[in-house]
Each structure stands twice: as C-alpha cells, then as structure tokens.
Amino acid sequence: MSFTTKDGKKLITVIPGDGIGPEVVNSAKQIIEAAGVKIEWEEREAGASVFKKGLQSGVPQETIDSISKTRVVLKGPLETPVGFGEKSANVTLRKLFETYGNIRPVRELPGVITPYSGRGIDLVVVRENVEDLYAGIEHMQTPGVAQCLKIISKKGCEKIVRLAFEFALSEGRKKVHCATKSNIMKFTEGYLKKTFEEVAKEYPDIEANHIIIDNCAHQLVKKPEQFDVIVTTNMNGDIISDLTSALIGGLGFAPSANLGTDVAIFEAVHGSAPKYAGLNVINPTALISSAVLMLRHFQEIEAAQMIEHALLVTLEEGKVKTGDVVGYDKGTPTTKYTEEIIKNLGRKSSKWQVRDYKPLIMPKVSEDIALVKPTSRRTVGADIFIESSLSPLELGKSLESIAEGTALKLKMISNRGTKVYPPTGAITDCIDHYRCRFILLNGGNDLTDAQILELLNKVLQKYKWMHIEKLQEFDGQLGYTKAQGED
Ligand code: NAP
C-alpha cells in the first residue's frame, strides 16, 4: 500500500533519525532520486529530538499522521534511552502501525571479505516484530524482583509464519526454518513451532524444518549457507539477525523491512552509532539496501534492481571502500561512496546476480480478536504470587491452614519455577517471590471467581500478593505448565 500524489509521485514519510541517521538517509534518498524514481518526501521527526522536547513516546502526532497517510516510511535509526524511563521510539513505531514482520536479509557481498567469503551466504531472518518480551509489559513484583511478560498469540504466529512462507515464494527460496526455544517455553515459543508445522503443509514446495534457537545460532556460525529463510520470535530474531549481519561484513550492510498489512517501515538493522555521527565516515549500504526493499514494496522493481546492481558493481570494483571494511582512517567518505554508486547506476556485474522478485503477497489472517474459540473450558485452580521472606516450609504450612475450609487446597509452591514445597530435597536459593499453586479440592468441576476471591481474601490477611493467574483448561488441554519438579 502506498500514496500517490496528484503529479504521480509516491509520497513517502522520511525520518532522518539520530546520530548517523541523517547521513545514511541522505545517501539513500540521493540514489533513489538518481535512479529516476518519482518520490515526494514528507520529512518527520522521531527519537532523541522528540524525547528532548519532553514527549515520552518519542513519536509526535505529526509523524503518526504522516505515516497514516503515506503508509510507507524510510527511517534512519533512532536512539533509545537506556534503562528505566522512556520506551524505544523504534518499537513504538513498529507497534503503532502493527508492522508485525521484520524482514532482515543478508547476502555475501563482493569485496567485503569475511571468514565466510566464497560460501555464498544468502539468507533472510523473518522476525516477529510486535509480540514476545517486546510487548514491554514489565513490573517490579517485589522491591527486588522484576518481571517481563512474554506474550505470544496464535494470531501473531499465523501472521509471521505465513509471511515467512510468502516471502520465500516472492524470492524463489526453497527452505524455511522455524527457530524457537519450544523445548523450554512450551506454550509461548511452542506456539510458533506448532503453527509453523500446521501452516507448512499449505506450502508443499518449500522444505520446512524446525530448529532450536541455540542450535540455530551455532549452525549459523558453523555452516550459514545451509539456511534460506529463518522465521523466529521477536527476541530470538533480534539477536540472530545481528549475528547474521556479522557473517556478511557487519551492521553497515544489513537492511530491514518492517511489514504490516497496512504500513511498511524500511530501516537499517543498525542503530544511531553516535560516535560516528556527522563525521561522514559510516557505511550507508544498509539503508540503501533497505531503500531497495522499499522500492520493491511499491513495485518499482526495475529501479530496485538497478540500485542493487550498481551497489554490487561498486563493491566488486572496490574503488571505494567504507571505514567499517578497511578501517576508519582509510575509508571512503560516505558522500563519495554514494556518488560512486550513483555513477554505477545502469551497470551490471557479470558475476554477482540480483534475484528475480515476484510481488510479496501479504498473508490474510482473520481480524477476529478472539482467533481461537475452544468448545469447552474450565478453571481448575489458581497460582497466587506472594512476597514473603519465610522459608518454603514455613510458608507452605501456613498456606495449607489458610486454605482450609475453601474450595481449594495448596498443591505446591515454586520459587523461580522450581518446586520448593512440599520439600523435594533440592537446593534452591530462594527469593521473596513465591508462586503458590492452589487447585480444586477433589471432585470439583469448575472453579468460580467467587471461590478464588474467597481464598485470596484469606491469603491477603497475612501475606502481600502481587498477582494471580487462573489455571485453566481449554478443550481438555492444560493451559498451564508444571513447575520444575512438580508431578
Ligand atoms: P549501533 O548504533 O548499531 O552501533 C554499533 C556498532 O556497529 C558501531 O559502533 C559500529 O561498529 C557498527 N555500525 C553500526 N552502523 C554502522 C554503519 N552504518 N557503518 C559502519 N559501522 C556501523 O548500536 P548501539 O551502539 O548499540 O546503539 C546506538 C543507539 O542506536 C542506541 O540508542 C540504540 O538503542 C539505537 N538503536 C536503534 C536502532 C533502530 O533505530 N532501529 C537499532 C539498534 C540500535 P564499530 O564501532 O565496530 O565500527
């Protein structure tokens, strides 16, 4: 989707960004214009300059309005305040416009010598972009215990898995790996694996494999050429896509596209590299290649391929080399590197090819808010999270007597996921954050909210609690995992 002006130009929101952002964005804009693409840029702000004005989100309304209209953004990196306080403006932008798929391609490039040169690395990481730990739902549970919620939905998994297969088709790729930590996080990471295995059946011409994310990292370093497309959850994708960019020469060469049903945001994988800001020394290739992805997005395939060829010729001839490749004391200035690519527009390398791209068909997934509708469900218990400095034994005995006379009984207590009551003999260095699992007494069928509240009311007479989770079953399947050591 994009917006065309009355005089036939594509209207694009451009965010120069922070640090080296304005330099790389300028380079990409000049090359696009030299390639003859008719674009009108609507420049908008986000990031550090906006935080400094006191806007907590880092994304002003004018920027949101512009993107809502143009639907396409070329964006420089935005600085993120570290630690407590403001959220990342990058993540805010991705979430505001539901750009759920982050496409991060890397390929071996001529003249960029790495330990992997000659092995033909050419792969794409498809990272889920809005869910997972990046939902940013964090709470201090006790004065000394922090928690971050990992939210993974069936809808989110459907969208990203389908996008990965569709992206593979659009580039004529043959293999998709799904990389998860489903062996440990069976419900969250496991949801992606399960969905992948279901959806893969609809793409019989594409080889589909699951791989555990840690082995994926290991295999990426050992034999990266075995991969074609890797689909993964947000955090895993963030990490392995920085790894994959290092395989082909570093962050200076790694582009990305944030794709949603309505809006697409194109940006380099790298950040604002503040130490190089304004020095005219950085490598603009990542943002130029992101701009190529943008041109493909609105079907300017010829211009996209022309820029890609010019980039390959420039790198192959090696007349200009950026500081990240040859050292910043010897590197070509960003502006001169840009001029050289512009000079090479129209030329093609005889050795280095550009893919034939087909239009990417964005997946259609139901917009129903409740995508999964079980035919039966019941509540069988509750986990009450309690702040206490008692020992597990003291707390366990006390909670057992508190639960007497209610519809529930204490089944076990865990500390950071390990069962500590009834005692198992294990050595656990406990913290003041206990998960106390209460289940329905024998014969109970469906626990009511009133019964849970009755128990909670009794617990809170004696203990501080910080949250409560219902233990549910959907279509007869447990909707919760057991603690380490729980039977
Ligand atoms: P960074 O800005 O990506 O820089 C890390 C290192 O990568 C640089 O010191 C440099 O390595 C190399 N590098 C990055 N871009 C390069 C380029 N175009 N050309 C050559 N080398 C390049 O990561 P950071 O220092 O962790 O983050 C800085 C800020 O950017 C933070 O505020 C962070 O939150 C933000 N950030 C924003 C985005 C985004 O907007 N999407 C993404 C990541 C980080 P050498 O020093 O080894 O040369």
Side-chain angles (χ1 to χ4, degrees):
M1 257 195 217
S2 62
F3 182 96
T4 307
T5 62
K6 278 192 205 121
D7 48 358
K9 292 180 177 171
K10 295 278 176 220
L11 186 67
I12 307 289
T13 304
V14 62
I15 302 175
D18 304 319
I20 60 171
E23 293 163 72
V24 290
V25 166
N26 220 7
S27 167
K29 276 171 66 183
Q30 282 175 24
I31 294 169
I32 291 174
E33 278 156 20
V37 187
K38 292 185 172 48
I39 290 189
E40 190 173 315
W41 304 100
E42 193 161 277
E43 191 169 312
R44 291 291 181 266
E45 264 188 315
S49 57
V50 181
F51 286 124
K52 276 182 202 136
K53 286 181 197 161
L55 192 69
Q56 289 270 316
S57 69
V59 184
Q61 191 58 45
E62 306 86 77
T63 305
I64 296 172
D65 292 344
S66 172
I67 300 172
S68 304
K69 178 176 57 184
T70 65
R71 309 283 170 125
V72 181
V73 187
L74 185 65
K75 173 186 158 296
L78 307 178
E79 212 177 287
T80 306
V82 177
F84 292 82
E86 295 96 333
K87 298 262 184 195
S88 154
N90 297 302
V91 177
T92 301
L93 275 172
R94 290 172 198 161
K95 283 173 158 296
L96 275 177
F97 295 101
E98 194 63 35
T99 57
Y100 64 83
N102 190 199
I103 309 280
R104 296 187 163 188
V106 291
R107 63 169 292 188
E108 180 175 339
L109 293 163
V112 185
I113 307 304
T114 74
Y116 297 95
S117 293
R119 288 165 68 167
I121 294 173
D122 182 2
L123 63 90
V124 186
V125 175
V126 178
R127 165 189 171 192
E128 200 291 320
N129 218 15
V130 291
E131 298 198 333
D132 197 359
L133 295 163
Y134 291 63
I137 307 173
E138 295 191 276
H139 296 97
M140 292 306 292
Q141 297 281 291
T142 78
V145 180
Q147 174 191 272
C148 178
L149 289 188
K150 183 172 168 86
I151 307 278
I152 304 273
S153 72
K154 174 70 176 166
K155 197 194 248 185
C157 292
E158 281 269 344
K159 284 158 97 173
I160 199 65
V161 166
R162 289 184 184 280
L163 181 62
F165 280 106
E166 288 299 334
F167 193 80
L169 286 180
S170 78
E171 294 209 333
R173 293 180 183 268
K174 302 276 177 265
K175 232 187 315 185
V176 179
H177 278 86
C178 173
T180 75
K181 195 70 188 168
S182 54
N183 49 333
I184 304 296
M185 286 164 273
K186 301 197 189 293
F187 287 160
T188 50
E189 291 279 318
Y191 228 164
L192 188 73
K193 177 175 184 280
K194 187 167 171 275
T195 309
F196 176 75
E197 285 161 355
E198 288 161 9
V199 171
K201 294 185 191 126
E202 296 174 35
Y203 296 88
D205 297 334
I206 297 182
E207 187 187 322
N209 303 297
H210 176 260
I211 185 166
I212 302 281
I213 186 68
D214 34 339
N215 184 32
C216 182
H218 165 240
Q219 293 293 332
L220 275 169
V221 174
K222 207 172 150 195
K223 203 177 166 211
E225 61 276 17
Q226 69 184 290
F227 293 102
D228 205 353
V229 175
I230 303 171
V231 61
T232 188
T233 46
N234 204 341
M235 175 96 159
N236 292 332
D238 196 3
I239 297 166
I240 64 161
S241 60
D242 263 35
L243 187 159
T244 54
S245 65
L247 301 175
I248 54 101
L251 286 171
F253 294 98
S256 87
N258 300 286
L259 303 181
T261 308
D262 301 312
V263 167
I265 303 173
F266 299 87
E267 62 179 336
V269 170
H270 64 70
S272 59
K275 67 180 172 184
Y276 300 120
L279 300 180
N280 196 23
V281 294
I282 43 79
N283 182 354
T285 306
L287 203 89
I288 297 167
S289 302
S290 308
V292 166
L293 290 168
M294 179 182 83
L295 294 177
R296 280 172 55 190
H297 173 75
F298 50 77
Q299 297 305 309
E300 288 280 355
I301 303 289
E302 212 176 299
Q305 289 184 324
M306 193 201 301
I307 296 173
E308 232 182 321
H309 279 299
L311 185 63
L312 290 171
V313 169
T314 306
L315 292 169
E316 188 178 24
E317 288 186 343
K319 289 187 205 157
V320 290
K321 284 181 187 279
T322 48
D324 52 339
V325 176
V326 289
Y328 287 98
D329 50 336
K330 298 195 273 291
T332 308
T334 312
T335 43
K336 187 154 186 337
Y337 180 79
T338 307
E339 284 161 21
E340 190 68 18
I341 297 171
I342 291 173
K343 266 193 228 156
N344 286 328
L345 286 169
R347 293 181 64 199
K348 283 185 183 172
S349 163
S350 55
K351 186 169 163 225
W352 296 82
Q353 309 298 320
V354 163
R355 278 181 184 273
D356 259 337
Y357 303 115
K358 295 194 197 78
L360 168 65
I361 299 166
M362 289 302 284
K364 288 195 172 52
V365 174
S366 162
E367 286 179 10
D368 197 335
I369 287 182
L371 194 62
V372 181
K373 296 181 176 66
T375 49
S376 72
R377 61 191 293 166
R378 68 185 196 120
T379 304
V380 295
D383 280 348
I384 301 180
F385 289 75
I386 287 177
E387 178 185 340
S388 169
S389 27
L390 289 180
S391 73
L393 197 61
E394 289 166 316
L395 182 64
K397 297 264 176 241
S398 159
L399 289 173
E400 271 168 355
S401 76
I402 286 174
E404 273 170 26
T406 72
L408 294 126
K409 66 171 183 198
L410 181 71
K411 180 169 186 241
M412 65 103 206
I413 300 175
S414 72
N415 197 281
R416 283 174 296 164
T418 302
K419 181 177 151 190
V420 289
Y421 184 84
T424 59
I427 304 160
T428 306
D429 183 11
C430 287
I431 57 167
D432 59 350
H433 181 262
Y434 287 105
R435 183 255 305 259
C436 308
R437 175 158 291 176
F438 295 90
I439 52 157
L440 262 175
L441 281 169
N442 297 342
N445 190 29
D446 193 3
L447 194 60
T448 64
D449 287 353
Q451 288 169 318
I452 297 174
L453 290 175
E454 185 198 358
L455 172 70
L456 186 62
N457 251 320
K458 291 183 80 179
V459 170
L460 61 81
Q461 308 294 323
K462 199 155 179 204
Y463 295 105
K464 284 196 178 70
W465 65 285
M466 74 294 286
H467 79 257
I468 184 163
E469 293 280 347
K470 280 186 179 175
L471 303 179
Q472 303 186 80
E473 284 179 9
F474 303 102
D475 289 331
Q477 301 285 319
L478 290 193
Y480 55 95
T481 56
K482 299 219 163 142
Q484 217 73 44
E486 182 185 357
D487 297 319

